[in-house]
Amino acid sequence: GEKKVATIQNVFAVIKGYEKPDRYVLLGNHRDAWTFGAIDPSSGTAALLDIAQRFSILLGSGWTPRRSIILCSWDAKEFGMIGSTEWVEQNLINLSPKAVAYLNVDCVVQGTGLFVGSTPQLDNLIVEVTKKVKDSNSEGASIYENWAVTGEDYNIQRLSAVDSDFAPFVQHAGVPSIDVYYGRDFPVYHMAYDSYNWMTEYADPFFQRHVAVTGIWGLLALHLADNSILPFNYIFYANQ
């Protein structure tokens, strides 16, 4: 290992809201990897760039979000989430009262089965969005329909871990947050085999899971940025 001091750089793109520009919907992914990082984190970076392109097309057609959208590319996550944590701490006075939600994708795909972690007030929104996104594993079925068949339509976990960039938003700023990806674990985690070849051979040969997660991520952002009333359901929180 090489010991050195280096400057890190977080990169942001801001789409300013027309009605409530001081309310922020944040989408984030880190871009530093242990090795090649085709899955962790480049799959998430690819999805974030695709969302940026889609939002650019919407802007070109005359759309502007009600609330501001901020796309965040974090640096130095693998060194202890330094990029996101330091930024949250530096901006805590604005994030706590003004951030609507933080939507995180670290790795788009690690295996089979959609995993979603969330703070409880966003559960209902997740269910509604998954009804609109095609499941990559089934012809013509939505992700929600396959959850319902297996009796797992509310199989949404809580964000209790500290293994990705949602942690400072949840635990320092108290911002409602979501983390989403396919699969719970993958055998090449933080290894030199986390390569494009492994992605195309095993993880997501036709990149359909990439499309599904990108669709969920983008629709969540659009609802949170555009709905006249924020789609929070605190009955879920009370039940928890």
Side-chain angles (χ1 to χ4, degrees), residues 31-193:
R31 67 178 187 279
D32 64 309
W34 274 45
T35 54
F36 298 120
I39 294 171
D40 181 14
S42 297
S43 61
T45 300
L48 188 66
L49 291 172
D50 191 55
I51 287 174
Q53 185 179 39
R54 297 185 195 200
F55 286 173
S56 176
I57 293 170
L58 286 173
L59 287 166
S61 68
W63 165 82
T64 305
R66 187 184 302 270
R67 304 173 188 89
S68 294
I69 296 174
I70 304 177
L71 308 180
C72 313
S73 177
W74 307 115
D75 200 353
K77 182 266 183 181
E78 303 295 5
F79 291 87
M81 292 181 293
I82 293 173
S84 58
T85 302
E86 292 297 322
W87 187 81
V88 169
E89 290 177 346
Q90 291 168 5
N91 293 280
L92 200 58
I93 193 170
N94 285 319
L95 287 173
S96 290
K98 296 180 179 180
V100 172
Y102 174 70
L103 312 176
N104 186 76
V105 171
D106 199 328
C107 312
V108 164
V109 55
Q110 301 179 171
T112 60
L114 184 73
F115 171 83
V116 182
S118 174
T119 49
Q121 71 270 58
L122 290 165
D123 284 5
N124 193 62
L125 175 61
I126 293 166
V127 170
E128 292 305 311
V129 164
T130 55
K131 292 178 181 179
K132 302 175 183 178
V133 178
K134 180 181 177 292
D135 194 318
S136 63
N137 297 317
S138 299
E139 187 68 32
S142 70
I143 288 172
Y144 175 82
E145 286 171 332
N146 284 341
W147 272 352
V149 166
T150 59
E152 298 178 351
D153 51 328
Y154 290 104
N155 187 24
I156 298 171
Q157 307 299 310
R158 297 295 158 235
L159 297 175
S160 57
V162 291
D163 58 353
S164 196
D165 295 297
F166 60 79
F169 286 91
V170 174
Q171 297 169 9
H172 290 272
V175 174
S177 299
I178 292 174
D179 187 39
V180 57
Y181 52 88
Y182 268 93
R184 294 301 301 267
D185 303 293
F186 65 109
V188 299
Y189 179 66
H190 285 178
M191 296 172 63
Y193 295 100

